[in-house]
Amino acid sequence: MVENAASATGPSIATRIGKLDLPAPTLMGSGCYGSGEEYAPFVDLAGIGGIVLKSVTRFPRLGNAPPRLVATPSGLLNAIGLQNPGIDAYLENDVAKFAERPCAVIGSVAGFSVDDYAYVTERLAARDEIDAIELNISCPNVGSEGETFACDPGLAEQATRAARRVTAKTLIVKLSPNVTDIAAIARVVEAAGADALAVVNTVRGMAIDVETAKPRLGNTTGGLSGAAIRPIAVLAVWEVARAVKIPIVGQGGIENARDALEFILAGASAVSIGTGNFTDPRAPQTVADGLRSYLAERRIASLRDVVGKANPGFAGVR
Amino acid sequence: MVENAASATGPSIATRIGKLDLPAPTLMGSGCYGSGEEYAPFVDLAGIGGIVLKSVTRFPRLGNAPPRLVATPSGLLNAIGLQNPGIDAYLENDVAKFAERPCAVIGSVAGFSVDDYAYVTERLAARDEIDAIELNISCPNVGSEGETFACDPGLAEQATRAARRVTAKTLIVKLSPNVTDIAAIARVVEAAGADALAVVNTVRGMAIDVETAKPRLGNTTGGLSGAAIRPIAVLAVWEVARAVKIPIVGQGGIENARDALEFILAGASAVSIGTGNFTDPRAPQTVADGLRSYLAERRIASLRDVVGKANPGFAGVR
Amino acid sequence: MPALETSPAIHRTVVSDRREPAPGISVVGLYAPRLAGATRPGQFAMVVPPGGERAATALGIYEAQGDRISLMLVAVGPRTRELATLPLGAQLDLFGPLGNGFDLAALGDEVALVAGGVGLASLLLPARELLARGARVYLFYGARTAGALVDADLFAELGARVYVATDDGTLGWAGYVTDLLRETAMHFSGIAACGPSPMLRAVARVAADLGVRAQLSLEETFACGVGACWGCVVGLSRESAQAPRFPAPAPGETRDYVHARICKEGPVFWAHELRW
Amino acid sequence: MPALETSPAIHRTVVSDRREPAPGISVVGLYAPRLAGATRPGQFAMVVPPGGERAATALGIYEAQGDRISLMLVAVGPRTRELATLPLGAQLDLFGPLGNGFDLAALGDEVALVAGGVGLASLLLPARELLARGARVYLFYGARTAGALVDADLFAELGARVYVATDDGTLGWAGYVTDLLRETAMHFSGIAACGPSPMLRAVARVAADLGVRAQLSLEETFACGVGACWGCVVGLSRESAQAPRFPAPAPGETRDYVHARICKEGPVFWAHELRW
Ligand SMILES: Cc1cc2nc3c(=O)[nH]c(=O)nc-3n(C[C@H](O)[C@H](O)[C@H](O)COP(=O)(O)OP(=O)(O)OC[C@H]3O[C@@H](n4cnc5c(N)ncnc54)[C@H](O)[C@@H]3O)c2cc1C
Ligand SMILES: Cc1cc2nc3c(=O)[nH]c(=O)nc-3n(C[C@H](O)[C@H](O)[C@H](O)COP(=O)(O)OP(=O)(O)OC[C@H]3O[C@@H](n4cnc5c(N)ncnc54)[C@H](O)[C@@H]3O)c2cc1C
Ligand SMILES: Cc1cc2nc3c(=O)[nH]c(=O)nc-3n(C[C@H](O)[C@H](O)[C@H](O)COP(=O)(O)O)c2cc1C
Ligand SMILES: Cc1cc2nc3c(=O)[nH]c(=O)nc-3n(C[C@H](O)[C@H](O)[C@H](O)COP(=O)(O)O)c2cc1C
Ligand code: FES
Ligand code: FES
C-alpha cells in the first residue's frame, strides 16, 4: 500500500477502520472490482480508499454454471459461486502484484468450515501485500453453506474467533442481511474480536424465465445487489450502529455521495462500492468528490463529524 | 361477493385459495387498494380476483406521523402504521358497503397480541360481506410488535391457531421476508391450520435525508415494496412452495403478467398486486389479460397447469 | 374544500408541445380533450411512468383549454427527469382529474395567490377563474433566482397584479415571498397558496397574523393518489369539514386531530385547520 | 483471439444522428472521435445509463468512421429502451473499446459472416476490413421477418454477397439462417458469427460438419464488462489459448474446462473450443 497525499486544504474524508488509516472512506466491494487493474483505465486508484479483493477459498473453485447474472429492477442478481484459483495458486501467482496498488488492499476469505476460515486467513494475512482481511461469512451463492455462518450467531462467532486467532491485522467481518436481527449477530461478532463490520452482503433472491419456465441463474438462486437494496442496507447499518462500537463499512447500492451519506449518517465510518462501479466506473471518484463538497458546503472539517449523525442511538466508534 | 361469469372460451385463469374459488388469480394487496371503490373509476372490479382490505385492529389507530412514503429505486418505502378506525367502527360503518363489490372481499386482521388476532378475526369473519380472512402477522411498521409474530415460529403458530379456532372461513396467513428460513415459518403456520399463505409482506428498510440528516419516514423505518423486491419475493415463494401443501398467494413487485408468472411458476396459486397499482391502475387487467395470452399461446387449458412448473421441488397443492 | 363532482378516468395523451422556460423547468403540453374539459382549478393528475417500475407522479394541472392541458415540472428525480425529456408525439398515460381543488367562492373578491417555485402550476386555473368572475387577483411569486420566475407575464396578461421575490435578490423583493406578502400590508379577502412545505407554513403564519383565511395546496410523496393507501396524510383538526370520519378516538388517545389524506381530502386545506 | 492493444477509456459522446430502420431497432450515431479511431472489428462498449440505477449496457460497435461511431440496438428492456429514445444532441457516456475482436487474419480469404438479428452490429467492421484486404465476404443474415432485416444493402454496397433468411419466409430462405448456410454447401476458409445463443450453437454444429473453423461472438448478461466480476463466463477448453490461467484443478475436479469471461477473454471464441 502506497500512502495517498492528504489534501492540504478542504475538509478531510479520511477514516479509520481498525488499524487501517484510509485517506478516503471508499472501499471497492469484494468480487466487484477484481484486483483493481481492470478499472485502472477509468479511474485513479490512488483516489480510492481501498480494494477488497475477490474472496479466496482453500481449494480452487470453478464457480457456478452460467448464467451468473440477471439484471432486475434497479438491481443485479449474481451467483458467481466463488470462482477462484484457491489459496495456494493465489499466493503464488496473484498476491505479489497487489503491492503495486496505490491504495489499501484488503484480502477476502471465504470458507465452508471454521477451519477453512482460520487456514486461509492465516496464510493470506501473512503476506505483506495484504493490509487487512475481510471475512466473507455471508456469501449466498454456494448452496446454503456460506450463508449459514452469518445467519447463525454461534457459527458467526466461531469463524470470527478462528480468524482473529491467526492474525493481528485488521479483521473486517461481513454480515448478511438475510436475518431477522442483524444487531444480535453484530454483537456476537464484535465480542469474538472483529475490528470492523461490513454491512451488508447481498440479499438472497431469484428470477424465473417465463419463456423456458426455468430459473434464470445457473445456480437457481443468487444475491441481489445494487440500488434496489439500498433501503434494506441503510437500515441494517442503522441497527448495527446502535449495537456495536467497532467501525462499520456500509454497502448496498451506493452510486453517488448522497447514497454514501445515507450510510455514513446512519453510522458507517466507511462505505463500499460494488455494483455502483458497473453503472459507472467513475463512481469512486464521484463519491469522494461529493463527500468533500457536502462537508465543504456545511463547513464541516472532517467526515468523522457526520458519522452516525442521523442516528440518535449511534453508539459511537470506540 | 358476486360471481364473475367464467369465460366460455379460452384458457381458464381461475384458481382456488382454501375454500375460495376465484375466477382470476389476482388479489389486490392489503393497504394498497382501499376497499376497491377508490380504483373503480379506472378498472372493472369484476375482472379481478379479490380485494384484500386494509388491515384492521382491535382499537382505532391514528397511524404513524407523516411522512409515510418514500420513493426508492424501483421501490416504495411505506410506514402507514395501520391507520384504521378499529373493529367496532369498522363493522358499524364500513363493512356493509363491501357487499357491493363484484369480486371476493378478504378481510385483513392485524394485532399486537394473540388475543387480538382471535378477537378481531372472530368478529370480522362473522360478517357475510367478508369472504375470507388474511392474518397480517408481518407488518413492519408498528414498532417491532407486529413483525415479531411472523419472525418467530412460536408466535406465528399461536396467532394462526387462535384465528383458526374462531372461523371456518378461508384463513390466509401473511408471512414476512425478514427471516433467514421462511420455509420453517411456513411449515409451522400450515400445521397450525392456515388454509393458504400470503408470501411476502414488505422487506424492512429505511432512507435518510442527507440535507436534514434525519430519517425520511416519520416512523424512521418502513417496509419496502415494489419491483425492487421482486427477486426476494420470488425466492420466498419458491422456498415456501417446496415446504407446504397449501396454496400460496405470491406478491412483491408484480406489475404485469410476466412478473405474475414468475411467482406462479415458482409455486403460487394466486398473486397479489399492491404497489403495481400505484404505477398503473390498469395493472389488474394487464396481468389477467397477459396470463390468458400466455396460456393461449402455449395451448395450456388452465393456469393450474403451470403452478410450480419451474420448481422441481414444488410439493403440489393438497 | 367541497368535494368536486368531476369523475376521474385514465387518459391516453400525446405530447403536443413543450418548452423549457428555465433550466430544469419544463412545461409539457398534452393533447387530452376529455381531461381538459373535466379539470377544476387546483386539481392534479397522476402520470403513469412510461417505463413502469415506479409509482405514478402527482402533478398539478397547469393549463386546461380546448383539447389540451399542460403540466409544469421541475426535473428533481428519476420520474420528473423522464417526463422532462419526452419527445413530441410521445404517448403518456395519466389518470385524473384528482383531488378537491380550491374553494374559489370562499376566497372573496380580493385574492392573494402565493406561489413558491413550480407551485405556480396549481394557480393558473384559479387565477383565470377568479379574474373571469371579476375578482381582483394579486400574484405573489417567489423563486430562488430571477431566471426561475417563469410565466409571470402570463399571469399579468390575464389581468393579475404580479409581485415577485427572489431568494438571491436578482429580481423584485430580496427574500421570501411570504415576507413580501406580509410587508405589502394590503387587504385580502382570501389567500390561496401552493409551493414547498416551509413556504406554506409561512403563509399560514402570515395569514393568521393578517387575519385572513388561507387555502393551502399541500405537497407530499404520493403512492396511489386516489385515497387507497393512506400514505399522504397530514394532521387535520377533527372539526374540519374535510376530516375523514373517525368515530371514536382510541382508548387513551388524546390527540385532537386526525390524519387526512392529502390526495383525497385535499390537496387543498384551510390553513387554520391543519395540525402539522 | 489475440489480445488487442487498444486501451479503453471513458468517453463523453453526443448523439449526432439516429434512424429506426425497423420498428424496435435503432441505429444511434455518436460523435466520439477518440473511440472511433481506437475500435477494432468485434469490440464492444459499455454504455453508462443516463439515469443511473442500472448496470451499463454492452453494445457492439457497429460503425466507426472519422469522428463518429454508431450502435445498433433492439429495444428489449429498460436500458435499451432508454437508449432508443435519446434525442439528438443528448450526452451519452460510454467506456471502451472492450474485449478482443475477431481474429480476421485467421479466417482466410473466403469468409462467411453469419448474423442473427442485431448480431449484425458486430459484423460491419469485420466485413469492411476483410473486403479491404481483398477477401471475399458472404453475409448470411437471418431475422424473424423481412422488415427486421435491416442494412443488408449496406453490406452489399461494400461488396459482400448477401444471403438472407427469415423465420416467417417473407424474404429469402424460409427458416433458420444456419440451415441456409449448410444448404449452400459452399466452401469457406472461415466463419465469423454473431447473434443469439441458439443460433451460435447451430453455427458451431454446421461449421463442424463443414469442417470449417468458426469464430463466435457471444452474448451474455454483463455486469462490469471489464473482467472484474466473473459474471459473464462460458465453459472453455483448458487447452484454449484464451483460457484464463487456472493452475490446478481442485481436488476431485474432473471437468476439463474452465470458466472464461466473455467480456475479457472474449467476446469472440473459437467454436470448437467452447464447452457449453
Ligand atoms: C398534489 C401534488 C401536485 C404536484 N404538482 C407538481 C407540479 O405541478 N410540478 C412539479 O414539478 N411537481 C409537482 N409535485 C411534486 C412532484 O410530484 C414530485 O416532485 C415528483 O414526484 C418527484 O418525482 P421524481 O421521481 O422525479 O423524484 P423523487 O425520486 O421522488 O425525488 C428525487 C429527489 O428529489 C427530491 N425532491 C423531490 N421533490 C423535490 C422538489 N420539488 N424540489 C427539490 N427536490 C425535490 C427528493 O427529496 C429526492 O431526493 C406535486 C406533488 C403533489 C403531491
Ligand atoms: C458483447 C455484447 C454485445 C452486444 N451487442 C449488442 C448490440 O450491438 N445491439 C443490441 O441490441 N444488443 C447487444 N447486446 C445485448 C444487450 O447488451 C442487451 O440486450 C441489453 O443488455 C438489454 O438491456 P435492457 O436493460 O434493455 O434489457 P434487460 O432488462 O436486460 O432485459 C429485458 C428483457 O428482455 C429480454 N431480452 C434481453 N435481451 C434480449 C434480446 N436480445 N432479445 C429479446 N429479448 C431479450 C430479457 O430476457 C428480459 O426479459 C450485446 C451484448 C453483449 C454481451
Ligand atoms: C458480481 C458480484 C460478485 C460478488 N462477489 C463477492 C465475493 O466474492 N465476496 C464477497 O464478500 N462479496 C461479494 N459480493 C458482494 C459485494 O461485495 C457487496 O457486498 C454487495 O454487492 C452489496 O453492495 P453493492 O450493492 O454496492 O454491490 C459480490 C457482488 C456482486 C454483484
Ligand atoms: C402503502 C402500503 C400499505 C400497506 N398496508 C398493508 C396492510 O395494512 N396490511 C398488510 O398485510 N399489508 C400491507 N402492505 C403490504 C402489501 O399488501 C404487499 O404485501 C407488499 O407491499 C408487497 O407487494 P407489492 O410489492 O405488490 O406492493 C402495504 C403496502 C403498501 C405499499
Ligand atoms: S397517496 Fe395513497 S392515499 Fe394519498
Ligand atoms: S461482466 Fe464482469 S467479468 Fe465479464
Side-chain angles (χ1 to χ4, degrees):
Chain A
M1 175 188 173
V2 178
E3 274 300 293
N4 293 321
S7 165
T9 57
S12 159
I13 58 168
T15 193
R16 193 179 165 84
I17 296 296
K19 300 157 200 90
L20 212 56
D21 276 311
L22 302 171
T26 43
L27 302 182
M28 300 302 117
S30 176
C32 300
Y33 217 67
S35 69
E37 64 185 6
E38 295 84 354
Y39 278 106
F42 311 114
V43 74
D44 180 6
L45 298 180
I48 71 177
I51 299 164
V52 185
L53 302 164
K54 173 83 190 154
S55 298
V56 64
T57 54
R58 187 169 202 150
F59 299 115
R61 288 177 58 87
L62 265 188
N64 292 327
R68 294 178 171 183
L69 297 171
V70 179
T72 69
S74 297
L76 179 71
L77 272 174
N78 90 79
I80 312 296
L82 296 175
Q83 171 159 1
N84 81 88
I87 187 67
D88 289 343
Y90 193 67
L91 293 176
E92 196 177 317
N93 304 314
D94 296 295
V95 175
K97 71 178 181 222
F98 304 153
E100 297 153 21
R101 303 285 175 270
C103 58
V105 174
I106 300 168
S108 171
V109 172
F112 303 92
S113 67
V114 172
D115 189 50
D116 275 2
Y117 283 108
Y119 178 81
V120 179
T121 299
E122 179 160 27
R123 295 194 56 198
L124 188 57
R127 291 287 294 258
D128 285 346
E129 297 89 342
I130 301 295
D131 298 306
I133 295 287
E134 182 169 281
L135 219 56
N136 174 6
I137 58 169
S138 45
C139 179
N141 296 324
V142 286
S144 64
E145 309 148 295
E147 179 84 352
T148 310
F149 282 87
C151 295
D152 177 311
L155 291 174
E157 187 192 352
Q158 287 174 46
T160 306
R161 217 178 276 289
R164 175 75 295 168
R165 221 174 274 132
V166 296
T167 182
K169 284 187 178 165
T170 297
L171 180 67
I172 307 170
V173 177
K174 190 164 182 176
L175 303 187
S176 167
N178 303 302
V179 295
T180 299
D181 185 2
I182 194 169
I185 307 278
R187 270 188 221 102
V188 170
V189 168
E190 177 185 39
D195 296 310
L197 298 170
V199 181
V200 289
N201 210 319
T202 53
V203 182
R204 291 181 66 231
M206 79 178 290
I208 292 174
D209 183 335
V210 306
E211 297 303 330
T212 60
K214 292 206 158 43
R216 283 187 184 275
L217 289 169
N219 186 52
T220 303
T221 72
L224 186 64
S225 64
I229 70 163
R230 196 189 316 133
I232 302 171
V234 170
L235 175 56
V237 168
W238 176 274
E239 294 189 332
V240 170
R242 300 162 90 90
V244 301
K245 286 189 153 288
I246 51 179
I248 296 167
V249 183
Q251 61 203 277
I254 296 175
E255 290 181 1
N256 55 46
R258 297 182 83 81
D259 301 342
L261 279 160
E262 287 200 63
F263 288 86
I264 293 164
L265 293 169
S269 295
V271 294
S272 175
I273 307 170
T275 308
N277 290 297
F278 308 156
T279 299
D280 190 336
R282 290 163 300 190
Q285 193 63 47
T286 313
V287 170
D289 290 348
L291 290 177
R292 283 193 200 90
S293 316
Y294 180 89
L295 298 174
E297 278 163 22
R298 286 162 186 75
R299 300 176 188 285
I300 300 171
S302 163
L303 190 73
R304 296 172 196 223
D305 299 333
V306 299
V307 171
K309 219 185 132 201
N311 191 343
F314 176 51
V317 175
R318 197 167 38 214
Chain B
M1 176 191 174
V2 179
E3 274 301 292
N4 293 322
S7 165
T9 57
S12 158
I13 59 167
T15 194
R16 193 178 164 84
I17 296 296
K19 300 157 199 92
L20 212 57
D21 277 311
L22 302 172
T26 42
L27 302 182
M28 300 303 116
S30 175
C32 300
Y33 217 67
S35 68
E37 65 184 8
E38 294 84 352
Y39 278 106
F42 311 116
V43 76
D44 179 7
L45 297 180
I48 72 177
I51 299 164
V52 185
L53 302 164
K54 173 80 190 157
S55 298
V56 63
T57 53
R58 188 168 201 149
F59 300 114
R61 288 177 57 87
L62 264 189
N64 292 326
R68 293 177 171 185
L69 298 170
V70 179
T72 70
S74 296
L76 180 71
L77 274 174
N78 90 79
I80 312 296
L82 296 175
Q83 172 159 358
N84 80 89
I87 188 67
D88 290 342
Y90 192 65
L91 294 176
E92 195 176 318
N93 304 315
D94 296 296
V95 175
K97 70 177 182 223
F98 304 154
E100 297 154 22
R101 303 284 175 271
C103 59
V105 174
I106 301 169
S108 171
V109 172
F112 303 93
S113 67
V114 171
D115 189 51
D116 275 1
Y117 284 108
Y119 177 80
V120 180
T121 299
E122 180 161 26
R123 295 196 55 198
L124 188 56
R127 290 290 292 259
D128 286 345
E129 298 89 341
I130 301 294
D131 297 306
I133 295 287
E134 183 169 283
L135 219 56
N136 175 8
I137 58 169
S138 45
C139 179
N141 298 325
V142 285
S144 63
E145 309 147 294
E147 179 83 353
T148 311
F149 282 88
C151 296
D152 178 312
L155 290 174
E157 187 193 353
Q158 288 175 45
T160 306
R161 217 178 275 290
R164 175 74 295 166
R165 220 174 276 133
V166 296
T167 182
K169 285 187 179 166
T170 296
L171 180 67
I172 308 169
V173 177
K174 189 162 184 178
L175 304 186
S176 165
N178 302 305
V179 297
T180 299
D181 185 2
I182 194 168
I185 307 277
R187 271 187 220 100
V188 169
V189 168
E190 177 185 40
D195 295 310
L197 299 170
V199 180
V200 289
N201 211 319
T202 53
V203 182
R204 292 180 66 230
M206 77 177 291
I208 292 174
D209 184 335
V210 306
E211 297 304 329
T212 60
K214 294 209 156 43
R216 283 189 185 275
L217 289 169
N219 187 51
T220 303
T221 72
L224 186 64
S225 64
I229 70 164
R230 195 189 316 132
I232 302 170
V234 170
L235 174 56
V237 168
W238 175 275
E239 294 189 331
V240 170
R242 299 161 89 91
V244 301
K245 288 191 151 287
I246 50 178
I248 296 166
V249 183
Q251 61 203 278
I254 295 176
E255 289 179 4
N256 55 45
R258 299 182 81 83
D259 301 343
L261 278 159
E262 288 200 61
F263 288 86
I264 292 165
L265 293 168
S269 296
V271 295
S272 175
I273 307 171
T275 308
N277 291 298
F278 308 156
T279 299
D280 190 338
R282 290 163 301 190
Q285 193 62 47
T286 312
V287 169
D289 290 348
L291 290 177
R292 283 195 199 89
S293 318
Y294 180 88
L295 298 174
E297 278 162 22
R298 286 161 186 74
R299 300 175 188 286
I300 300 171
S302 163
L303 190 74
R304 294 172 196 222
D305 299 333
V306 299
V307 170
K309 220 185 130 205
N311 192 343
F314 176 50
V317 174
R318 201 167 35 213
Chain C
M1 308 303 122
L4 294 178
E5 294 307 311
T6 53
S7 103
I10 298 195
H11 303 270
R12 171 145 295 179
T13 73
V14 174
V15 178
S16 60
D17 56 87
R18 48 181 311 122
R19 55 194 171 96
E20 198 175 320
I25 303 182
S26 300
V27 177
V28 180
L30 300 170
Y31 173 77
R34 282 187 307 139
L35 186 57
T39 303
R40 312 262 296 257
Q43 287 191 295
F44 65 94
M46 297 291 290
V47 180
V48 176
E53 295 180 5
R54 310 181 185 280
T57 317
L59 292 172
I61 298 174
Y62 182 43
E63 300 161 276
Q65 261 184 325
D67 53 16
R68 185 182 158 281
I69 67 151
S70 75
L71 308 170
M72 178 186 278
L73 52 95
V74 221
V76 293
R79 293 174 295 177
T80 44
R81 265 201 305 271
E82 188 176 27
L83 297 176
T85 54
L86 278 181
L88 287 188
Q91 238 175 231
L92 194 65
D93 289 351
L94 43 79
F95 51 107
L98 295 166
N100 301 307
F102 291 98
D103 186 351
L104 299 181
L107 287 172
D109 289 321
E110 297 273 338
V111 184
L113 301 180
V114 190
V118 288
L120 190 75
S122 296
L123 296 175
L124 183 61
L125 296 185
R128 195 172 270 144
E129 198 159 314
L130 285 165
L131 289 162
R133 75 139 204 256
R136 255 174 302 226
V137 172
Y138 307 86
L139 174 68
F140 290 84
Y141 183 12
R144 231 178 347 91
T145 185
L149 280 168
V150 304
D151 282 10
D153 43 346
L154 210 149
F155 282 76
E157 280 161 29
L158 288 177
R161 296 203 48 180
V162 180
Y163 302 81
V164 303
T166 50
D167 295 357
D168 65 0
T170 43
L171 196 70
W173 172 268
Y176 291 134
V177 67
T178 44
D179 291 335
L180 170 59
L181 177 68
R182 184 191 299 276
E183 291 300 315
T184 54
M186 302 198 298
H187 169 78
F188 305 113
S189 53
I191 296 176
C194 184
S197 203
M199 184 203 90
L200 294 182
R201 286 170 194 263
V203 170
R205 282 192 298 272
V206 174
D209 295 350
L210 298 179
V212 188
R213 302 225 291 184
Q215 298 178 19
L216 309 181
S217 178
L218 303 190
E219 258 193 34
E220 182 53 276
T221 302
F222 281 3
C224 70
V226 299
C229 76
W230 291 89
C232 62
V233 300
V234 65
L236 188 67
S237 160
R238 282 188 186 273
E239 266 66 62
S240 169
Q242 287 170 268
R245 173 190 48 76
F246 260 67
E253 179 60 70
T254 53
R255 288 169 290 186
D256 67 337
Y257 61 89
V258 290
H259 284 127
R261 295 163 295 187
I262 294 174
C263 71
K264 188 79 176 180
E265 279 82 44
V268 182
F269 295 94
W270 284 110
H272 62 278
E273 294 183 343
L274 291 171
R275 300 287 175 272
W276 53 342
Chain D
M1 309 301 121
L4 296 178
E5 295 307 310
T6 53
S7 103
I10 298 195
H11 303 271
R12 171 145 295 179
T13 74
V14 174
V15 178
S16 60
D17 57 271
R18 47 181 313 120
R19 55 194 172 96
E20 200 175 322
I25 304 183
S26 300
V27 177
V28 181
L30 298 170
Y31 173 78
R34 283 186 306 139
L35 186 56
T39 303
R40 313 262 295 258
Q43 287 192 296
F44 66 94
M46 297 291 288
V47 180
V48 175
E53 294 180 8
R54 311 180 185 281
T57 317
L59 292 171
I61 297 173
Y62 182 43
E63 301 161 277
Q65 263 185 323
D67 54 15
R68 184 183 159 280
I69 66 150
S70 75
L71 308 169
M72 178 186 276
L73 52 96
V74 221
V76 294
R79 290 173 297 177
T80 45
R81 265 202 306 271
E82 186 176 27
L83 297 176
T85 53
L86 279 181
L88 288 186
Q91 239 175 230
L92 194 66
D93 289 351
L94 42 79
F95 50 107
L98 295 166
N100 301 307
F102 291 99
D103 185 351
L104 299 180
L107 286 173
D109 289 322
E110 296 275 338
V111 184
L113 300 182
V114 190
V118 287
L120 191 77
S122 295
L123 297 175
L124 183 62
L125 296 184
R128 194 171 268 146
E129 197 159 313
L130 286 165
L131 289 162
R133 73 139 204 256
R136 256 175 302 227
V137 172
Y138 307 84
L139 174 67
F140 291 83
Y141 182 12
R144 230 176 349 90
T145 186
L149 281 167
V150 303
D151 282 11
D153 45 343
L154 209 148
F155 283 75
E157 278 161 30
L158 288 175
R161 296 205 46 181
V162 179
Y163 303 82
V164 303
T166 50
D167 295 357
D168 65 359
T170 43
L171 196 69
W173 171 269
Y176 291 135
V177 67
T178 45
D179 293 334
L180 170 60
L181 178 68
R182 184 193 298 277
E183 292 299 316
T184 54
M186 303 197 297
H187 170 78
F188 304 113
S189 54
I191 295 175
C194 184
S197 202
M199 185 203 89
L200 294 181
R201 287 169 193 263
V203 170
R205 283 191 299 272
V206 175
D209 296 349
L210 298 178
V212 187
R213 303 226 291 187
Q215 296 179 21
L216 309 181
S217 179
L218 304 189
E219 257 193 32
E220 183 53 276
T221 302
F222 282 4
C224 69
V226 299
C229 77
W230 291 89
C232 63
V233 301
V234 65
L236 188 68
S237 159
R238 282 188 185 274
E239 267 65 61
S240 169
Q242 287 170 266
R245 175 189 49 72
F246 259 66
E253 179 59 69
T254 54
R255 290 169 289 187
D256 66 339
Y257 62 88
V258 290
H259 283 129
R261 294 163 294 188
I262 294 174
C263 71
K264 187 80 175 181
E265 279 82 45
V268 182
F269 295 95
W270 285 109
H272 62 278
E273 293 184 342
L274 291 171
R275 299 289 175 271
W276 54 345

